[in-house]
Amino acid sequence: MPDHADILAELQARVAELEAERALTLRLAQTDSLTGLVNRGAFTEALASRLEAARADGGRVALFVIDLDRFKHLNDTLGHHAGDLLLAEVGERLRWNAGPGELVARLGGDEFAVISPTADVARRAQELVSILAQSHDIYGRHVAPGASVGVAVFPQDAADASDLQRFADLALYRVKTLGGRRWSAFDAELRAENERRRTLEAELRRAIPAGEIEPWFQPVVEAADGRIVGVEVLARWRHPEQGLLSPAAFVPIAEELGLIGRIDEAVFEAACARAAPWVAEGLIEHVSCNVSPRELLDPAFSRKLIGRLAQTDLPATALCVEITETFLLQDLALSRRHIERLAAKGVNIALDDFGTGYSNLRALMHLPIQTVKLDRSLIDDVARDARVSKLVGSMLHAARSLGVSLVAEGVEDQAQAIFLRAAGCDRMQGYLFARPMPADELEARLRAEAVDTPRAAPLRRRAAR
């Protein structure tokens, strides 16, 4: 029979083996496999723990958030394996450079973080920028993408881990907008901006159901005679305290918060309600609505839009949905499904911002796209720069040969209009003809134009068909 001592020794050995396996599993779960640094989950736990300790003994904790500059360019030119090699080298460099009591983590992608007890934040931040500005040898090539660093300090900047991370990210974002390769600390200016954004977020969530986000309309005119033939719907926020706000003031934060879909729905419904009578009376032919890339990424987007349209009095043939050229390149298969589904119901499709990317003529050949909107960046220099004029003329010719209607955006002076008209552009919109305006103002203008130009009856017959 086995000796009890042998059995006990065997059990102890097995327990030790299981403990070692558990420790290894836990370590692997907390480690980034590419760099060997702690991962985001372990970093989050460690940051909360260090803040708790600092709160107990009156200490301070500095959080440095690091983002590599031009990392995407490296991936695109040398490949993802080269990018992985660079990330591994960056991780090793940060580990080697870590000071006493510091924790280095890879948060994901090309983003890293350092938790530090240092009192000299400026010196440490500049040191991180400097060591990451040094070149790396990747595939025999010297690569020096550099890095941006944002820093926030507990307790002077934030009282908890969540705010500390958010404030360090705000500082990092400011550096990125300035071109990178430097560092920035969270400060009074960023605090004020953060408070403004938080207030704006709360107000935006209230404004949507309150109906404060309303449709405005910019006329689209016939190039030949300047008659208004359609409108583009644009969102405006009639803020109870700040007055009328343009999309630039609220659309970016709405996209971040996932509210852009709700805004688009509210504006779409209100625009259709106002514009349907104009179409029925022959005052305009079509209503154009922009669609955000976030919405287009929803596989059910086109079905949802068709359902919402059915709840309005606007005919499908009077609706034009504007899809950006960028989205076609991002997901051509999904774009095709949306476009074909909408076109089958009679909805018109416009390719917006044409000329800013790849000018996808192949899409015009193989997709049911009826309209191309030339981007204002091209129109700005038309009739003033011979090269731009030739380019725009060629684009107009190519699109026209495919049977596509052409609309020029951002037309602001007579020279542009004369050139575009001579080059064969069908329709135009821009400040030369009209700025965006509220529904009542547009309706008054449409009715005045209908009296001056007897065209309502033919358009009414066209809309009925």
Side-chain angles (χ1 to χ4, degrees), residues 40-118:
R40 178 180 286 275
F43 158 81
T44 301
E45 293 180 8
L47 182 62
S49 177
R50 297 212 179 185
L51 261 58
E52 185 177 345
R55 187 178 292 111
D57 62 19
R60 54 186 276 145
V61 177
L63 173 61
F64 301 86
V65 179
I66 304 161
D67 189 83
L68 301 185
D69 300 325
R70 303 183 72 247
F71 179 72
K72 184 179 183 301
H73 175 73
L74 175 73
N75 262 343
D76 291 343
T77 54
L78 297 183
H80 289 285
H81 185 256
D84 287 347
L85 290 176
L86 175 63
L87 292 173
E89 283 199 19
V90 167
E92 182 60 29
R93 190 171 291 182
L94 289 172
R95 182 190 291 107
W96 169 81
N97 181 257
E102 289 191 339
L103 177 70
V104 183
R106 181 188 176 208
L107 303 184
D110 61 339
E111 189 174 8
F112 296 81
V114 176
I115 304 173
S116 175
T118 183

Coordinates of all heavy atoms in Angstrom, one line a residue, residues 40-118:
R40 N -4.7 46.0 -21.8 CA -5.6 47.1 -21.4 C -6.3 46.6 -20.1 O -6.5 47.5 -19.2 CB -6.6 47.4 -22.5 CG -7.7 48.4 -22.1 CD -8.6 48.7 -23.2 NE -8.0 49.4 -24.2 CZ -8.0 50.8 -24.3 NH1 -8.5 51.5 -23.2 NH2 -7.5 51.4 -25.3
G41 N -6.7 45.4 -20.0 CA -7.5 45.0 -18.8 C -6.6 45.1 -17.6 O -7.1 45.6 -16.6
A42 N -5.4 44.6 -17.6 CA -4.5 44.6 -16.5 C -4.1 46.1 -16.2 O -4.0 46.5 -15.0 CB -3.2 43.8 -16.7
F43 N -4.0 46.9 -17.2 CA -3.7 48.3 -17.0 C -4.8 49.0 -16.3 O -4.5 49.8 -15.3 CB -3.4 49.0 -18.4 CG -3.6 50.5 -18.4 CD1 -2.6 51.3 -17.9 CD2 -4.8 51.0 -18.8 CE1 -2.8 52.7 -17.9 CE2 -5.0 52.4 -18.8 CZ -4.0 53.2 -18.3
T44 N -6.0 48.8 -16.6 CA -7.2 49.4 -16.0 C -7.2 49.0 -14.5 O -7.5 49.9 -13.7 CB -8.5 49.0 -16.7 OG1 -8.4 49.3 -18.1 CG2 -9.7 49.6 -16.1
E45 N -7.0 47.8 -14.2 CA -7.0 47.3 -12.8 C -5.9 48.0 -12.0 O -6.0 48.5 -10.9 CB -6.9 45.8 -12.7 CG -8.1 45.1 -13.2 CD -7.9 43.6 -13.1 OE1 -6.9 43.1 -12.5 OE2 -8.8 42.8 -13.6
A46 N -4.7 48.0 -12.7 CA -3.5 48.6 -12.0 C -3.7 50.1 -11.7 O -3.3 50.6 -10.7 CB -2.3 48.4 -12.8
L47 N -4.3 50.8 -12.7 CA -4.5 52.3 -12.5 C -5.4 52.5 -11.4 O -5.1 53.4 -10.5 CB -5.0 52.9 -13.8 CG -5.2 54.4 -13.8 CD1 -3.9 55.1 -13.6 CD2 -5.9 54.9 -15.1
A48 N -6.5 51.8 -11.3 CA -7.5 52.0 -10.2 C -6.8 51.7 -8.9 O -7.0 52.4 -7.9 CB -8.7 51.1 -10.4
S49 N -6.0 50.6 -8.8 CA -5.3 50.2 -7.6 C -4.3 51.3 -7.2 O -4.2 51.7 -6.0 CB -4.5 48.9 -7.8 OG -3.8 48.5 -6.7
R50 N -3.5 51.9 -8.1 CA -2.5 52.9 -7.8 C -3.2 54.2 -7.3 O -2.6 54.9 -6.5 CB -1.6 53.1 -9.0 CG -0.8 51.9 -9.4 CD 0.5 52.2 -9.9 NE 1.3 51.0 -10.2 CZ 2.5 51.0 -10.6 NH1 3.2 52.2 -10.8 NH2 3.2 49.9 -10.9
L51 N -4.3 54.5 -7.9 CA -5.0 55.7 -7.5 C -5.5 55.5 -6.1 O -5.5 56.5 -5.2 CB -6.1 56.0 -8.4 CG -5.8 57.1 -9.5 CD1 -4.6 56.7 -10.3 CD2 -7.0 57.4 -10.4
E52 N -6.0 54.3 -5.8 CA -6.5 54.1 -4.4 C -5.4 54.2 -3.4 O -5.6 54.8 -2.3 CB -7.1 52.7 -4.4 CG -7.8 52.3 -3.0 CD -8.4 51.0 -3.1 OE1 -8.6 50.4 -4.2 OE2 -8.7 50.5 -2.0
A53 N -4.2 53.7 -3.7 CA -3.0 53.8 -2.8 C -2.6 55.2 -2.7 O -2.3 55.7 -1.6 CB -1.9 52.9 -3.4
A54 N -2.6 56.0 -3.8 CA -2.2 57.4 -3.7 C -3.1 58.2 -2.9 O -2.8 59.1 -2.2 CB -2.0 57.9 -5.1
R55 N -4.4 57.9 -3.0 CA -5.4 58.6 -2.3 C -5.3 58.3 -0.8 O -5.5 59.2 0.1 CB -6.8 58.1 -2.7 CG -8.0 58.9 -2.1 CD -9.3 58.4 -2.6 NE -9.5 58.7 -4.0 CZ -9.5 57.8 -5.0 NH1 -9.3 56.5 -4.7 NH2 -9.7 58.1 -6.3
A56 N -4.8 57.1 -0.4 CA -4.6 56.8 1.0 C -3.4 57.5 1.6 O -3.5 57.9 2.8 CB -4.5 55.3 1.2
D57 N -2.3 57.6 0.8 CA -1.1 58.2 1.4 C -0.8 59.6 0.9 O 0.3 60.1 1.2 CB 0.1 57.2 1.2 CG 0.4 57.0 -0.3 OD1 -0.1 57.9 -1.1 OD2 1.1 56.1 -0.6
G58 N -1.7 60.2 0.2 CA -1.6 61.6 -0.2 C -0.6 61.7 -1.4 O 0.0 62.8 -1.6
G59 N -0.4 60.6 -2.1 CA 0.6 60.7 -3.2 C -0.1 61.2 -4.5 O -1.2 61.6 -4.6
R60 N 0.7 61.1 -5.6 CA 0.2 61.5 -6.9 C 0.5 60.4 -8.0 O 1.5 59.7 -7.8 CB 0.7 62.8 -7.3 CG 2.3 62.9 -7.3 CD 2.7 64.3 -7.6 NE 2.8 64.6 -9.0 CZ 2.6 65.8 -9.5 NH1 2.2 66.8 -8.8 NH2 2.7 66.0 -10.8
V61 N -0.2 60.4 -9.0 CA 0.0 59.4 -10.1 C -0.1 60.2 -11.4 O -1.1 60.9 -11.7 CB -1.0 58.3 -10.1 CG1 -0.8 57.3 -11.3 CG2 -0.9 57.5 -8.8
A62 N 0.9 60.0 -12.3 CA 0.8 60.6 -13.6 C 0.5 59.6 -14.6 O 1.1 58.5 -14.6 CB 2.1 61.3 -13.9
L63 N -0.4 59.8 -15.5 CA -0.7 58.9 -16.6 C -0.3 59.5 -17.9 O -0.8 60.6 -18.3 CB -2.2 58.6 -16.6 CG -2.7 57.8 -17.8 CD1 -2.1 56.4 -17.8 CD2 -4.3 57.6 -17.8
F64 N 0.6 58.8 -18.6 CA 1.0 59.2 -19.9 C 0.4 58.3 -21.0 O 0.6 57.1 -20.9 CB 2.6 59.1 -20.0 CG 3.3 60.0 -19.0 CD1 3.6 59.5 -17.8 CD2 3.7 61.3 -19.4 CE1 4.3 60.3 -16.8 CE2 4.4 62.1 -18.4 CZ 4.7 61.6 -17.2
V65 N -0.3 58.8 -21.9 CA -0.9 58.1 -23.0 C -0.2 58.4 -24.2 O 0.0 59.6 -24.6 CB -2.4 58.4 -23.1 CG1 -3.0 57.6 -24.3 CG2 -3.2 58.1 -21.9
I66 N 0.3 57.3 -24.9 CA 1.2 57.5 -26.1 C 0.6 56.9 -27.3 O 0.0 55.8 -27.3 CB 2.5 56.7 -25.8 CG1 3.2 57.2 -24.5 CG2 3.5 56.9 -27.0 CD1 4.2 56.3 -23.9
D67 N 0.6 57.7 -28.4 CA 0.1 57.2 -29.7 C 1.2 57.4 -30.8 O 1.7 58.6 -30.9 CB -1.2 58.0 -30.1 CG -1.9 57.4 -31.3 OD1 -2.6 56.4 -31.1 OD2 -1.7 57.9 -32.4
L68 N 1.5 56.4 -31.5 CA 2.5 56.5 -32.6 C 2.0 57.4 -33.7 O 0.8 57.3 -34.1 CB 2.9 55.2 -33.1 CG 3.5 54.2 -32.1 CD1 4.0 52.9 -32.8 CD2 4.7 54.8 -31.3
D69 N 2.9 58.2 -34.3 CA 2.5 59.1 -35.4 C 2.9 58.3 -36.7 O 3.8 57.5 -36.8 CB 3.3 60.4 -35.4 CG 3.0 61.2 -34.1 OD1 1.9 61.2 -33.7 OD2 4.0 61.8 -33.6
R70 N 2.0 58.4 -37.7 CA 2.2 57.9 -39.0 C 2.4 56.3 -39.0 O 3.0 55.7 -39.9 CB 3.5 58.5 -39.7 CG 3.4 60.0 -39.8 CD 4.6 60.6 -40.5 NE 4.6 60.3 -41.9 CZ 5.5 59.5 -42.5 NH1 6.4 58.9 -41.9 NH2 5.4 59.3 -43.8
F71 N 1.8 55.7 -38.0 CA 1.8 54.2 -38.0 C 1.1 53.6 -39.1 O 1.5 52.6 -39.7 CB 1.3 53.7 -36.6 CG 1.3 52.2 -36.5 CD1 2.5 51.6 -36.3 CD2 0.1 51.5 -36.5 CE1 2.5 50.2 -36.2 CE2 0.1 50.1 -36.4 CZ 1.3 49.5 -36.2
K72 N -0.1 54.2 -39.4 CA -0.9 53.6 -40.6 C -0.1 53.7 -41.9 O -0.2 52.8 -42.7 CB -2.2 54.4 -40.7 CG -3.1 53.9 -41.8 CD -4.4 54.7 -41.8 CE -5.4 54.1 -42.9 NZ -4.8 54.0 -44.2
H73 N 0.7 54.8 -42.0 CA 1.5 54.9 -43.3 C 2.5 53.7 -43.3 O 2.7 53.2 -44.4 CB 2.2 56.2 -43.3 CG 3.1 56.4 -44.4 ND1 2.7 56.6 -45.7 CD2 4.5 56.4 -44.5 CE1 3.8 56.7 -46.5 NE2 4.9 56.6 -45.8
L74 N 3.1 53.4 -42.2 CA 4.0 52.3 -42.2 C 3.4 51.0 -42.5 O 3.9 50.2 -43.3 CB 4.7 52.2 -40.8 CG 5.6 51.0 -40.6 CD1 6.9 51.2 -41.3 CD2 5.9 50.7 -39.1
N75 N 2.2 50.8 -42.0 CA 1.4 49.5 -42.3 C 1.1 49.4 -43.7 O 1.2 48.4 -44.4 CB 0.1 49.5 -41.4 CG 0.3 48.6 -40.2 OD1 1.2 47.8 -40.1 ND2 -0.6 48.8 -39.3
D76 N 0.7 50.6 -44.3 CA 0.3 50.6 -45.7 C 1.4 50.4 -46.7 O 1.3 49.8 -47.7 CB -0.4 51.9 -46.0 CG -1.8 52.1 -45.3 OD1 -2.3 51.0 -44.9 OD2 -2.3 53.2 -45.2
T77 N 2.6 50.9 -46.3 CA 3.8 50.8 -47.2 C 4.6 49.6 -47.0 O 5.1 49.0 -48.0 CB 4.7 52.1 -47.0 OG1 5.0 52.2 -45.6 CG2 3.9 53.3 -47.5
L78 N 4.8 49.1 -45.8 CA 5.7 48.0 -45.5 C 4.9 46.7 -45.1 O 5.5 45.6 -45.1 CB 6.7 48.3 -44.4 CG 7.7 49.5 -44.7 CD1 8.6 49.6 -43.6 CD2 8.4 49.2 -46.0
G79 N 3.6 46.9 -44.8 CA 2.8 45.7 -44.5 C 2.6 45.6 -43.0 O 3.3 46.2 -42.2
H80 N 1.6 44.7 -42.6 CA 1.3 44.6 -41.2 C 2.3 43.9 -40.4 O 2.5 44.2 -39.2 CB -0.1 43.8 -41.1 CG -1.2 44.6 -41.6 ND1 -1.8 45.7 -40.8 CD2 -1.9 44.6 -42.7 CE1 -2.8 46.2 -41.5 NE2 -2.9 45.6 -42.6
H81 N 3.1 43.0 -41.0 CA 4.2 42.3 -40.2 C 5.2 43.4 -39.8 O 5.8 43.3 -38.7 CB 4.8 41.2 -41.0 CG 5.8 40.4 -40.3 ND1 7.2 40.6 -40.4 CD2 5.7 39.5 -39.3 CE1 7.8 39.8 -39.6 NE2 6.9 39.1 -38.9
A82 N 5.5 44.3 -40.7 CA 6.5 45.4 -40.3 C 5.9 46.2 -39.2 O 6.6 46.6 -38.3 CB 6.8 46.2 -41.5
G83 N 4.6 46.5 -39.3 CA 4.0 47.2 -38.2 C 4.1 46.5 -36.9 O 4.3 47.1 -35.8
D84 N 3.9 45.2 -36.9 CA 4.0 44.4 -35.6 C 5.4 44.4 -35.1 O 5.7 44.5 -33.9 CB 3.6 42.9 -35.9 CG 2.1 42.7 -36.1 OD1 1.4 43.7 -35.8 OD2 1.7 41.7 -36.6
L85 N 6.4 44.4 -36.0 CA 7.8 44.5 -35.6 C 8.1 45.8 -34.9 O 8.8 45.9 -33.9 CB 8.8 44.3 -36.7 CG 8.8 42.9 -37.4 CD1 9.7 42.9 -38.6 CD2 9.4 41.9 -36.3
L86 N 7.5 46.9 -35.5 CA 7.7 48.2 -34.9 C 7.1 48.3 -33.5 O 7.7 48.8 -32.5 CB 7.1 49.3 -35.8 CG 7.2 50.7 -35.2 CD1 8.6 51.2 -35.0 CD2 6.4 51.7 -36.1
L87 N 5.9 47.7 -33.4 CA 5.2 47.8 -32.1 C 6.0 47.0 -31.0 O 6.1 47.4 -29.9 CB 3.8 47.2 -32.2 CG 2.8 48.0 -33.0 CD1 1.5 47.2 -33.2 CD2 2.5 49.3 -32.4
A88 N 6.5 45.9 -31.4 CA 7.3 45.1 -30.5 C 8.6 45.9 -30.0 O 8.9 45.8 -28.9 CB 7.7 43.7 -31.1
E89 N 9.2 46.6 -31.0 CA 10.4 47.4 -30.6 C 10.0 48.5 -29.7 O 10.7 48.9 -28.8 CB 11.1 47.9 -31.9 CG 11.9 46.8 -32.6 CD 12.9 47.4 -33.6 OE1 13.2 48.6 -33.4 OE2 13.4 46.7 -34.5
V90 N 8.9 49.2 -30.0 CA 8.4 50.3 -29.2 C 8.2 49.8 -27.8 O 8.5 50.4 -26.8 CB 7.2 50.9 -29.8 CG1 6.5 51.9 -28.7 CG2 7.5 51.7 -31.0
G91 N 7.5 48.6 -27.7 CA 7.2 48.0 -26.3 C 8.5 47.8 -25.6 O 8.6 48.1 -24.4
E92 N 9.5 47.2 -26.3 CA 10.8 46.9 -25.6 C 11.5 48.2 -25.2 O 12.1 48.3 -24.1 CB 11.7 46.1 -26.6 CG 13.1 45.7 -26.0 CD 12.9 44.8 -24.8 OE1 11.9 44.1 -24.7 OE2 13.8 44.9 -23.9
R93 N 11.4 49.2 -26.0 CA 12.1 50.5 -25.7 C 11.4 51.1 -24.5 O 12.1 51.7 -23.6 CB 12.0 51.4 -26.9 CG 12.8 52.7 -26.8 CD 12.9 53.4 -28.1 NE 13.6 52.7 -29.2 CZ 13.8 53.2 -30.4 NH1 13.4 54.4 -30.7 NH2 14.5 52.5 -31.3
L94 N 10.1 51.1 -24.4 CA 9.4 51.6 -23.3 C 9.7 50.8 -22.0 O 9.9 51.4 -20.9 CB 7.9 51.7 -23.5 CG 7.4 52.7 -24.6 CD1 5.9 52.5 -24.9 CD2 7.7 54.1 -24.1
R95 N 9.8 49.5 -22.1 CA 10.1 48.7 -21.0 C 11.5 49.0 -20.4 O 11.7 49.1 -19.2 CB 10.0 47.2 -21.3 CG 10.3 46.3 -20.2 CD 10.4 44.8 -20.6 NE 9.1 44.3 -21.0 CZ 8.8 44.0 -22.3 NH1 9.7 44.3 -23.3 NH2 7.7 43.5 -22.6
W96 N 12.4 49.1 -21.4 CA 13.8 49.4 -21.0 C 14.0 50.8 -20.3 O 14.8 51.0 -19.4 CB 14.7 49.3 -22.2 CG 16.1 49.8 -22.0 CD1 17.2 49.2 -21.5 CD2 16.6 51.1 -22.4 NE1 18.3 50.0 -21.5 CE2 17.9 51.2 -22.0 CE3 16.0 52.2 -23.0 CZ2 18.7 52.4 -22.2 CZ3 16.7 53.4 -23.2 CH2 18.1 53.4 -22.8
N97 N 13.1 51.7 -20.8 CA 13.2 53.1 -20.3 C 12.4 53.3 -19.0 O 12.6 54.4 -18.4 CB 12.7 54.0 -21.4 CG 12.8 55.5 -21.0 OD1 11.8 56.1 -20.7 ND2 14.0 56.1 -21.0
A98 N 11.6 52.4 -18.6 CA 10.7 52.6 -17.5 C 11.5 52.9 -16.2 O 12.5 52.2 -15.9 CB 9.9 51.3 -17.2
G99 N 11.0 53.9 -15.4 CA 11.7 54.3 -14.2 C 11.1 53.5 -13.0 O 10.2 52.7 -13.1
P100 N 11.7 53.7 -11.8 CA 11.2 53.0 -10.6 C 9.7 53.2 -10.4 O 9.3 54.4 -10.4 CB 12.1 53.6 -9.5 CG 13.3 54.2 -10.2 CD 12.8 54.6 -11.5
G101 N 9.0 52.2 -10.1 CA 7.6 52.3 -9.8 C 6.7 52.5 -11.0 O 5.5 52.7 -10.8
E102 N 7.2 52.5 -12.2 CA 6.4 52.8 -13.4 C 5.8 51.5 -14.0 O 6.5 50.4 -13.9 CB 7.2 53.5 -14.5 CG 7.5 55.0 -14.1 CD 8.0 55.7 -15.3 OE1 8.6 55.1 -16.3 OE2 8.0 57.0 -15.2
L103 N 4.6 51.5 -14.5 CA 4.0 50.4 -15.2 C 3.8 50.8 -16.7 O 3.1 51.8 -16.9 CB 2.7 50.0 -14.5 CG 1.9 48.9 -15.2 CD1 2.7 47.6 -15.0 CD2 0.5 48.8 -14.7
V104 N 4.3 50.0 -17.6 CA 4.1 50.3 -19.0 C 3.1 49.3 -19.6 O 3.1 48.1 -19.3 CB 5.4 50.1 -19.8 CG1 5.2 50.5 -21.3 CG2 6.5 51.0 -19.2
A105 N 2.2 49.8 -20.4 CA 1.1 48.9 -21.0 C 0.9 49.2 -22.5 O 1.2 50.3 -22.9 CB -0.2 49.1 -20.2
R106 N 0.4 48.2 -23.2 CA -0.1 48.4 -24.5 C -1.6 48.4 -24.5 O -2.2 47.4 -24.1 CB 0.5 47.4 -25.5 CG 0.0 47.7 -26.9 CD 0.3 46.5 -27.9 NE -0.3 46.8 -29.2 CZ -0.6 45.8 -30.0 NH1 -0.4 44.5 -29.7 NH2 -1.1 46.1 -31.2
L107 N -2.2 49.5 -24.8 CA -3.7 49.6 -24.7 C -4.4 49.0 -25.9 O -5.6 48.7 -25.9 CB -4.1 51.0 -24.5 CG -3.5 51.8 -23.3 CD1 -4.1 53.2 -23.2 CD2 -3.7 51.0 -22.0
G108 N -3.6 48.8 -27.0 CA -4.2 48.3 -28.2 C -3.8 49.1 -29.4 O -3.5 50.3 -29.3
G109 N -3.7 48.4 -30.6 CA -3.3 49.1 -31.8 C -1.9 49.7 -31.6 O -1.0 49.0 -31.2
D110 N -1.7 51.0 -31.9 CA -0.4 51.7 -31.7 C -0.5 52.6 -30.5 O 0.2 53.6 -30.4 CB 0.0 52.4 -33.0 CG -1.0 53.5 -33.3 OD1 -2.2 53.5 -32.9 OD2 -0.6 54.5 -34.0
E111 N -1.3 52.3 -29.5 CA -1.5 53.1 -28.3 C -0.9 52.4 -27.1 O -1.2 51.3 -26.8 CB -2.9 53.4 -28.1 CG -3.2 54.5 -27.0 CD -4.6 54.9 -26.8 OE1 -5.5 54.3 -27.5 OE2 -4.9 55.8 -26.1
F112 N 0.0 53.1 -26.4 CA 0.6 52.6 -25.2 C 0.3 53.6 -24.0 O -0.2 54.7 -24.2 CB 2.1 52.6 -25.4 CG 2.5 51.6 -26.4 CD1 2.5 51.9 -27.8 CD2 3.0 50.3 -26.1 CE1 2.9 51.0 -28.8 CE2 3.4 49.4 -27.1 CZ 3.3 49.8 -28.4
A113 N 0.7 53.2 -22.8 CA 0.5 54.0 -21.6 C 1.5 53.7 -20.6 O 2.1 52.6 -20.5 CB -0.9 53.8 -21.0
V114 N 1.9 54.8 -19.8 CA 2.8 54.6 -18.7 C 2.2 55.2 -17.5 O 1.7 56.4 -17.5 CB 4.1 55.4 -19.0 CG1 5.1 55.3 -17.8 CG2 4.8 54.8 -20.2
I115 N 2.1 54.4 -16.4 CA 1.6 54.9 -15.1 C 2.9 55.2 -14.3 O 3.7 54.3 -14.1 CB 0.8 53.9 -14.4 CG1 -0.4 53.5 -15.3 CG2 0.3 54.5 -13.1 CD1 -1.3 52.4 -14.7
S116 N 3.0 56.5 -13.8 CA 4.2 56.9 -13.1 C 4.0 57.7 -11.9 O 3.1 58.5 -11.8 CB 5.1 57.7 -14.1 OG 6.2 58.2 -13.5
P117 N 4.9 57.5 -10.9 CA 4.8 58.3 -9.7 C 5.6 59.6 -9.8 O 5.7 60.3 -8.8 CB 5.3 57.4 -8.6 CG 6.4 56.6 -9.3 CD 5.8 56.4 -10.7
T118 N 6.2 59.9 -10.9 CA 7.1 61.0 -11.1 C 6.4 62.3 -10.7 O 5.2 62.5 -11.0 CB 7.6 61.1 -12.5 OG1 8.6 62.2 -12.6 CG2 6.5 61.3 -13.5

